Amino acid sequence: MHSIFDPSFQLIAALAGLAAFLVAGILTRQRTPKGLRLPPGPRGLPLIGNALDMPKEREWETYNEWAEKYGELVHVKVFQTNIVIINSRRLANELFEKRSSNYSDRPQLTMLCDLMGWDWGMAFQRYSDSWRKHRRAFHEKFHSGAVGIFKTSQIKHSRDLLRRLLVKPDDFAKHLRHVAGAIIMEVTYGIHIKPEDDPYIINADEASRGIGEAGVPGTFMVDRLPWLRHLPDWLPGMTFKEKARKWHKITTDMKELPYQYAKAEVDAGRADECFVSVHLEELTAKDKLTPEEEEVVKNAAGIAFTGGSDTTVSLMTTFILAMALHPEVQKKAQKELDSVLGGVRLVEFEDESELPYISAVVKETMRWHPLFPQSLAHAAVEEDVVGEYYIPKGSIVIGNSWRLLHNEEDFGPNTDKFIPERFLEKSAIRDPETTGSFGYGRRICPGMHMAQNLLFIEIASILQTFDISGPRDANGTELPMEYNMTSGIFSYPVDLKCSIVPRSKAAVQLIEESLKTTT
């Protein structure tokens, strides 16, 4: 008789589990109602469906090819999971907006939520009362009318970004991450981070990397076959377990450590005004500070920290790339800044209404190469019918943001090119934030207003004081740009080398003088 801890017994159990899964797949094969059909898509294989067709990198290219071939709705099936890809604004609006009660759920990702511990994250929670509580707590402090109080912190740290670029321009990616982290730590936890290599920011960066890899449905086989999580570590293909354990600790520390610090400051009566302190004080004053309510505050703060320390960094890196590739756009933006500011002071938020071209650059940055090319996946709560097509209950539903943001009917011709002018023309009818760059429907990113404010002030500040170009050799000759776009849930440039130099001595002086008033 074999013990359950005997390796041979575990292998037999694994094979039995696989056999049971395959048999169940045959017996429970879903039938499409008479008169309807599944949306078109690439032909799959028996049992595994389109598992071999799913892209491993640059997913937006494959999804775009499918859209060209099959149309507004594309269906693929990976093992027993139906995936529906929405490729038009018309259908994105129909499903995510008009039928939002059915399409506001999230798929349950075993790797990300169960093993890595992101089940508390509002962005990944199922559509439920718990999600609504978290959303409400977040929205109270980050809606469009509330984020103005964060502008002081954003201005201060944008000035610090200029100083850092002045001293070590080659480390621009590190500087962008530090500044974004410094802002979100202040406004969320009241924590003033270390000038260099802050452990909170390093931890958040690692946590975001984990999300980027595990957030796309199907990246890990355990998402398709959840029972794999119960198999022994020594079996081939179980390396996901080691990754999960590592990321689980990082995720837990990211959520718990800054929150416990902020709470201790509140209890001691010395907390700065921030997301956590305001919520805890309000709940205490109303005698509603229960463990359940406190958990909501902690979780909402954790997702604010995660999103705020990563989203704008990636978009700003895309902006740097765009400026290096399109010097004519950079010169036009700088001309507008010089005309409004006269070179006598640095840009402020109050100047935004007089800087339409800078605002257009911000929008084009979000549109040109969206941070979430496939958005965060939704899930169908119940079966549905769209025209002649049947969408099974539980289907993963993906908004093809890349496709929508490159639709020439909405954004004009040459959507593969970086052309801010498209947002200044009278015929321009769409904005990236309403076309998928921040998600869809009830699951649209609630932190987008704060992110857009930071994008504006950082883009305007950098363009006012620096010139961006491709990397240069020892003789000062500009070299071709070399970079890679990441795949996964996030997409942004990596291995990006460029030249960032002050526009003039007057620009250097403006930066140095501004630091005297913000320190």
Side-chain angles (χ1 to χ4, degrees):
M1 184 174 182
H2 294 286
S3 165
I4 61 172
F5 299 105
D6 186 333
S8 62
F9 180 88
Q10 292 175 328
L11 180 58
I12 292 171
L15 294 174
L18 177 59
F21 170 80
L22 295 176
V23 171
I26 296 172
L27 296 177
T28 62
R29 187 166 52 190
Q30 207 161 24
R31 296 187 181 278
T32 303
K34 187 176 180 180
L36 298 174
R37 60 193 179 102
L38 292 168
R43 191 178 187 88
L45 296 172
L47 297 179
I48 67 171
N50 300 103
L52 302 181
D53 298 317
M54 299 305 290
K56 299 292 190 297
E57 57 183 20
R58 300 181 71 85
E59 297 90 347
W60 61 91
E61 293 181 352
T62 298
Y63 288 1
N64 200 52
E65 290 172 4
W66 288 347
E68 290 285 344
K69 185 173 182 178
Y70 300 110
E72 287 184 286
L73 280 183
V74 172
H75 171 266
V76 292
K77 190 169 186 177
V78 180
F79 294 103
Q80 298 308 305
T81 302
N82 292 285
I83 301 174
V84 176
I85 304 167
I86 300 176
N87 298 310
S88 73
R89 177 167 56 88
R90 180 184 75 85
L91 286 184
N93 182 67
E94 175 65 33
L95 272 62
F96 295 138
E97 297 288 347
K98 295 182 180 179
R99 308 188 194 186
S100 58
S101 61
N102 194 48
Y103 292 99
S104 294
D105 202 8
R106 294 287 195 213
Q108 187 61 34
L109 301 179
T110 301
M111 180 66 174
L112 185 72
C113 295
D114 297 340
L115 300 183
M116 290 169 55
W118 276 103
D119 53 321
W120 57 268
M122 182 178 66
F124 312 110
Q125 287 178 334
R126 304 297 298 271
Y127 188 57
S128 61
D129 288 340
S130 176
W131 173 81
R132 280 183 277 272
K133 286 182 180 179
H134 285 77
R135 175 84 178 198
R136 191 178 306 116
F138 195 104
H139 179 76
E140 284 178 7
K141 310 304 177 188
F142 288 99
H143 64 79
S144 60
V147 294
I149 64 172
F150 304 141
K151 288 182 177 180
T152 300
S153 178
Q154 291 176 323
I155 280 283
K156 179 181 70 173
H157 289 290
S158 293
R159 304 287 194 257
D160 181 49
L161 172 62
L162 300 181
R163 177 191 66 81
R164 290 172 179 272
L165 290 173
L166 201 59
V167 177
K168 291 184 178 180
D170 291 343
D171 291 341
F172 67 90
K174 180 180 177 181
H175 301 329
L176 290 170
R177 187 164 300 282
H178 176 90
V179 167
I183 293 169
I184 201 64
M185 287 297 286
E186 279 188 16
V187 304
T188 305
Y189 299 107
I191 294 175
H192 303 280
I193 67 172
K194 295 179 180 180
E196 301 291 339
D197 300 323
D198 185 85
Y200 289 123
I201 305 306
I202 293 172
N203 203 63
D205 187 28
E206 286 296 315
S208 294
R209 291 178 191 275
I211 294 175
E213 187 169 343
V216 177
T219 300
F220 290 92
M221 188 57 69
V222 71
D223 288 333
R224 304 296 181 213
L225 311 175
W227 50 267
L228 289 175
R229 63 186 293 190
H230 302 297
L231 298 184
D233 294 6
W234 54 265
L235 281 174
M238 295 297 109
T239 53
F240 71 87
K241 289 190 170 187
E242 183 179 352
K243 284 188 174 184
R245 284 190 290 268
K246 173 187 172 184
W247 280 330
H248 191 283
K249 183 181 186 310
I250 290 169
T251 299
T252 301
D253 288 348
M254 188 211 69
K255 180 181 76 165
E256 292 290 340
L257 297 182
Y259 177 80
Q260 295 304 331
Y261 174 91
K263 184 183 178 184
E265 293 293 286
V266 171
D267 292 342
R270 56 174 181 262
D272 291 343
E273 182 177 337
C274 62
F275 179 88
V276 170
S277 67
V278 170
H279 268 300
L280 292 181
E281 289 165 0
E282 288 178 354
L283 289 169
T284 301
K286 297 176 183 178
D287 198 27
K288 292 183 178 180
L289 187 57
T290 64
E292 292 76 17
E293 291 294 336
E294 184 180 351
E295 190 68 18
V296 169
V297 174
K298 182 197 299 183
N299 294 344
I303 207 68
F305 180 27
T306 307
S309 62
D310 192 77
T311 302
T312 53
V313 177
S314 302
L315 286 168
M316 283 300 298
T317 308
T318 298
F319 157 75
I320 295 290
L321 171 63
M323 293 302 98
L325 292 174
H326 299 87
E328 73 286 353
V329 171
Q330 185 174 184
K331 287 181 172 60
K332 189 168 183 178
Q334 289 170 335
K335 182 178 179 180
E336 181 182 71
L337 286 160
D338 293 343
S339 174
V340 172
L341 302 168
V344 297
R345 63 178 177 84
L346 290 177
V347 63
E348 302 280 353
F349 278 108
E350 290 73 19
D351 301 313
E352 186 170 5
S353 62
E354 298 184 65
L355 297 169
Y357 195 74
I358 298 298
S359 296
V361 170
V362 173
K363 291 181 179 181
E364 185 71 341
T365 298
M366 295 187 293
R367 184 208 67 81
W368 179 57
H369 192 96
L371 177 59
F372 302 96
Q374 299 83 233
S375 70
L376 289 178
H378 293 229
V381 178
E382 300 292 345
E383 64 180 8
D384 197 11
V385 176
V386 180
E388 62 186 302
Y389 298 125
Y390 173 68
I391 298 180
K393 176 180 178 178
S395 295
I396 292 176
V397 184
I398 295 173
N400 189 350
S401 296
W402 175 273
R403 177 81 175 180
L404 270 61
L405 290 165
H406 287 76
N407 179 5
E408 294 192 353
E409 291 183 7
D410 287 334
F411 297 105
N414 302 313
T415 52
D416 59 324
K417 296 181 180 180
F418 193 95
I419 307 175
E421 287 81 358
R422 70 179 79 249
F423 293 105
L424 301 177
E425 298 171 0
K426 292 182 179 179
S427 59
I429 60 171
R430 306 302 304 170
D431 269 352
E433 64 262 30
T434 61
T435 317
S437 62
F438 286 103
Y440 300 91
R442 299 180 187 180
R443 302 306 294 247
I444 197 167
C445 173
M448 65 179 181
H449 305 295
M450 183 176 177
Q452 287 173 300
N453 285 346
L454 183 57
L455 286 174
F456 167 78
I457 201 62
E458 287 191 346
I459 286 174
S461 298
I462 291 174
L463 287 175
Q464 184 185 4
T465 52
F466 290 94
D467 284 323
I468 303 169
S469 64
R472 298 181 181 275
D473 63 19
N475 298 319
T477 302
E478 186 173 354
L479 303 174
M481 293 292 295
E482 295 183 2
Y483 60 93
N484 295 299
M485 303 303 293
T486 61
S487 301
I489 194 171
F490 306 119
S491 185
Y492 55 91
V494 291
D495 304 323
L496 179 62
K497 304 294 182 185
C498 63
S499 173
I500 302 177
V501 297
R503 292 180 64 197
S504 64
K505 290 183 179 179
V508 173
Q509 187 175 357
L510 279 178
I511 295 171
E512 292 174 342
E513 289 178 352
S514 72
L515 294 173
K516 298 175 184 178
T517 61
T518 56
T519 55

